[in-house]
């Protein structure tokens, strides 16, 4: 007889045998449960959208960092693979990859000998995220609060960008230069690898473009009612004035070292023109126009222009113009030039987001206003041969309607990046797998 707490317990052999057998059974069941939950069938981790933590609120540009989402965020691939902050990932990266489901304020891509890296800015908070193509993980590399970054053009190493920003109370956007500054290593989980620091560029800036080498900046300013063009270092220093023009309603791009492309803002109501401007001399050369609703994308060698204009029924007509021959051919697709990007390595090849069927509207005006959207496919066009090839039916791969814009490629033309105009999400398409 044993006593526990004053209560007598009589231990008989039979009872002892039953108790021991029960304990063994419990151990077996516990072991089976342990194996099932830790070694058994895996379930897909729940994806958390980067930048979804808004607990720190908004602060003006240049203020110190505040706690927010840090370390590894997660992303979901349209093909079913997902990334988790605390899980070692072995899943294959999908051909069509959703990088950010929350609105993005521009992005930049860079290719290293080992992989391709893309960085982007969260449009709401200003957090900076990074993804590479040897991993499914999305990492928060800066949580400095810089709200309302609507666009960004990055340098070659993805350590700085020129952006357009709306601050509270502003009636127009401001151009800013922002740089990722490495932070000291710490065990604090709220400290990201970089802090975002920067400065505003002149308040008169109404347009900008980064050079092909991504080390120079073209700024268009409005001064006394005229447009004035300047070339500077990327941070806005070392400014050189190159031209003055009566035009102010223009779009600018810097497709090749010797060409700044100037296109009058497109509208079905007005005739548009495309000019090439020499960034050293400021000399202008008329290339295209007049054409109603004109929009243009110039190849990186300056040999070709993909143009779009308003057709007779207010629809879209698209062509490819040879600068040397001064002739134009039908592009083989009907889309806006705003939805296209030329190759960096294969300079005669252009990729376009092309509507499966153009919605009835007045182009490009209704598309600019956001009153019409289309479901796109990605097409490849070779300007030299005239060949046209379907690369991806986006709706089939993503199960959603994607109206692509802001397209770009990495330096090796391995990945096509684009945003969805419907929700400002960011996507990438692995061209080697898609073709």
């Amino acid at each position: 007889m044993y006593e526990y707490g004053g209560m007598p317990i009589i231990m008989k052999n039979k009872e002892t045998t039953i108790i021991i057998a029960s304990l063994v059974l419990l151990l077996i069941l516990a072991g089976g449960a342990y194996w099932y939950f830790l070694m058994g069938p895996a379930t897909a981790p729940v994806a958390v959208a980067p930048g979804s933590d808004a607990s720190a609120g908004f602060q003006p540009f240049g203020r110190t960092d505040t706690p927010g989402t840090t370390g590894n965020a997660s992303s979901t691939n349209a093909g079913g693979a997902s990334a988790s902050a605390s899980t070692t990932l072995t899943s294959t990266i999908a051909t069509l990859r959703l990088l950010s489901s929350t609105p993005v304020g521009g992005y930049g891509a860079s290719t290293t000998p080992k992989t391709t890296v893309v960085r982007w800015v969260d449009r709401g908070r200003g957090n900076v995220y990074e993804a590479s193509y040897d991993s499914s993980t999305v990492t928060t590399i800066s949580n400095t609060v810089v709200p309302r970054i609507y666009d960004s053009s990055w340098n070659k190493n993805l350590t700085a960008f020129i952006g357009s920003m709306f601050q509270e109370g502003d009636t127009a956007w401001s151009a800013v230069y922002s740089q990722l500054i490495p932070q000291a290593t710490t065990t604090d989980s709220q400290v990201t690898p970089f802090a975002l620091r920067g400065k505003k560029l002149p308040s008169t800036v109404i347009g900008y473009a980064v050079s092909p080498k991504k080390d120079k900046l073209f700024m268009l300013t409005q001064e006394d009612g005229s447009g004035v063009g300047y070339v500077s270092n990327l941070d806005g220093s070392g400014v050189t004035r190159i031209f003055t023009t009566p035009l102010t309603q223009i779009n600018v791009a810097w497709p090749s070292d010797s060409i700044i492309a100037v296109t009058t803002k497109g509208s079905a109501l007005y005739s548009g023109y495309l000019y090439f401007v020499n960034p050293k001399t400021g000399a202008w050369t008329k290339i295209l126009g007049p054409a109603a609703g004109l929009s243009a994308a110039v190849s990186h060698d300056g040999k070709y222009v993909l143009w779009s204009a308003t057709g007779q029924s207010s629809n879209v007509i698209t062509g490819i113009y040879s600068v040397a021959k001064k002739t134009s051919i039908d592009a083989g697709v009907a889309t806006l030039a705003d939805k296209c990007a030329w190759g960096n390595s294969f300079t005669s090849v252009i990729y376009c987001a092309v509507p499966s069927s153009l919605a009835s509207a007045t182009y490009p005006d209704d598309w600019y206003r956001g009153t019409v959207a289309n479901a796109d496919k990605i097409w490849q066009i070779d300007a030299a041969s005239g060949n046209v090839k379907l690369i991806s039916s986006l709706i089939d791969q993503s199960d959603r309607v994607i109206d692509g814009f802001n397209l770009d490629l990495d330096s090796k033309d391995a990945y096509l990046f684009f945003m969805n105009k419907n929700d400002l999400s960011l996507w990438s398409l692995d061209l080697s797998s898609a073709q």
Side-chain angles (χ1 to χ4, degrees), residues 46-372:
V46 178
V48 179
S52 60
D53 178 8
S55 60
F58 291 156
Q59 291 187 9
F61 185 76
R63 294 250 182 118
T64 56
D65 310 300
T66 58
T69 306
T70 60
N72 292 334
S74 60
S75 68
T76 301
N77 299 320
S82 60
S84 172
S86 59
T87 305
T88 300
L89 299 166
T90 57
S91 57
T92 302
I93 296 175
T95 300
L96 179 63
R97 182 180 181 184
L98 174 58
L99 292 166
S100 176
S101 59
T102 56
V104 167
Y107 64 91
S110 178
T111 298
T112 68
K114 294 183 178 180
T115 187
T116 295
V117 176
V118 58
R119 290 177 175 176
W120 63 92
V121 184
D122 178 79
R123 182 173 284 213
R125 278 183 58 93
N127 285 4
V128 179
Y129 298 96
E130 177 184 283
S132 65
Y133 285 82
D134 53 9
S135 169
S136 305
T137 304
V138 172
T139 304
T140 309
I141 61 173
S142 169
N143 63 0
T144 306
V145 178
V146 189
R148 301 177 186 177
I149 294 288
Y150 276 60
D151 186 43
S152 57
S153 298
W154 292 71
N155 67 353
K156 183 177 181 179
N157 297 325
L158 305 183
T159 57
F161 63 82
I162 301 296
S164 54
M165 179 180 70
F166 276 90
Q167 285 192 289
E168 189 172 354
D170 287 351
T171 56
W173 60 269
S174 302
V176 295
Y177 169 77
S178 302
Q179 186 174 8
L180 290 168
I181 306 297
Q183 300 201 88
T185 304
T186 177
T187 57
D188 186 351
S189 62
Q190 298 297 329
V191 177
T192 50
F194 298 93
L196 199 60
R197 298 289 181 263
K199 63 180 181 180
K200 281 190 176 183
L201 297 177
S203 60
T204 53
V205 172
I206 57 174
Y208 61 82
V210 172
S211 66
K213 294 179 180 177
K214 303 185 184 300
D215 59 347
K216 297 290 184 181
L217 175 66
F218 171 74
M219 293 182 288
L220 178 71
T221 67
Q222 185 168 345
E223 303 173 21
D224 298 324
S226 297
V228 182
Y230 297 91
V231 172
S232 71
N233 297 321
L234 191 65
D235 63 359
S237 65
V239 179
T240 300
R241 181 170 175 162
I242 62 170
F243 68 75
T244 301
T245 175
L247 301 175
T248 57
Q249 297 300 308
I250 54 180
N251 295 318
V252 295
W254 200 337
S256 73
D257 290 338
S258 60
I259 297 172
I260 293 173
V262 175
T263 312
T264 53
K265 292 187 176 181
S267 170
L269 301 177
Y270 303 101
S271 295
Y273 298 84
L274 167 67
Y275 302 90
F276 285 178
V277 179
N278 187 305
K280 293 183 178 180
T281 66
W284 287 53
T285 303
K286 178 185 168 184
I287 303 298
L288 289 174
L294 181 66
S295 180
V298 181
S299 65
H300 293 295
D301 58 8
K303 293 182 179 180
Y304 300 101
V305 179
L306 184 136
W307 57 268
S308 60
T310 306
Q312 292 182 349
S313 302
S314 297
N315 59 347
V316 178
I317 53 175
T318 311
I320 295 179
Y321 178 79
S322 169
V323 176
K325 296 178 182 179
K326 297 184 179 180
T327 57
S328 189
I329 62 172
D330 188 277
V333 299
T335 191
L336 299 173
D338 311 73
K339 297 164 69 69
C340 299
W342 288 94
N344 293 303
S345 182
F346 301 96
T347 54
S348 66
V349 173
I350 188 168
Y351 294 88
C352 291
V354 180
S356 300
S357 177
L358 273 172
S360 179
T362 299
Y363 291 93
D365 303 59
D366 289 342
W367 187 78
Y368 289 153
R369 294 189 191 104
T371 57
V372 64

Side-chain angles (χ1 to χ4, degrees), residues 31-50:
Y34 176 87
W35 182 90
Y36 179 82
F37 285 109
L38 295 186
M39 304 296 290
T43 57
V46 178
V48 179

Side-chain angles (χ1 to χ4, degrees), residues 399-430:
D399 295 326
R400 70 183 71 189
V401 174
I402 295 179
D403 189 355
F405 81 111
N406 194 15
L407 280 69
D408 200 4
L409 293 104
D410 70 299
S411 60
K412 295 184 178 180
D413 296 350
Y415 297 96
L416 175 68
F417 302 94
F418 56 91
M419 293 172 61
N420 184 359
K421 196 170 183 288
N422 295 325
D423 58 10
L424 303 178
S425 56
L426 177 63
W427 298 75
S428 69
L429 180 66
D430 184 343

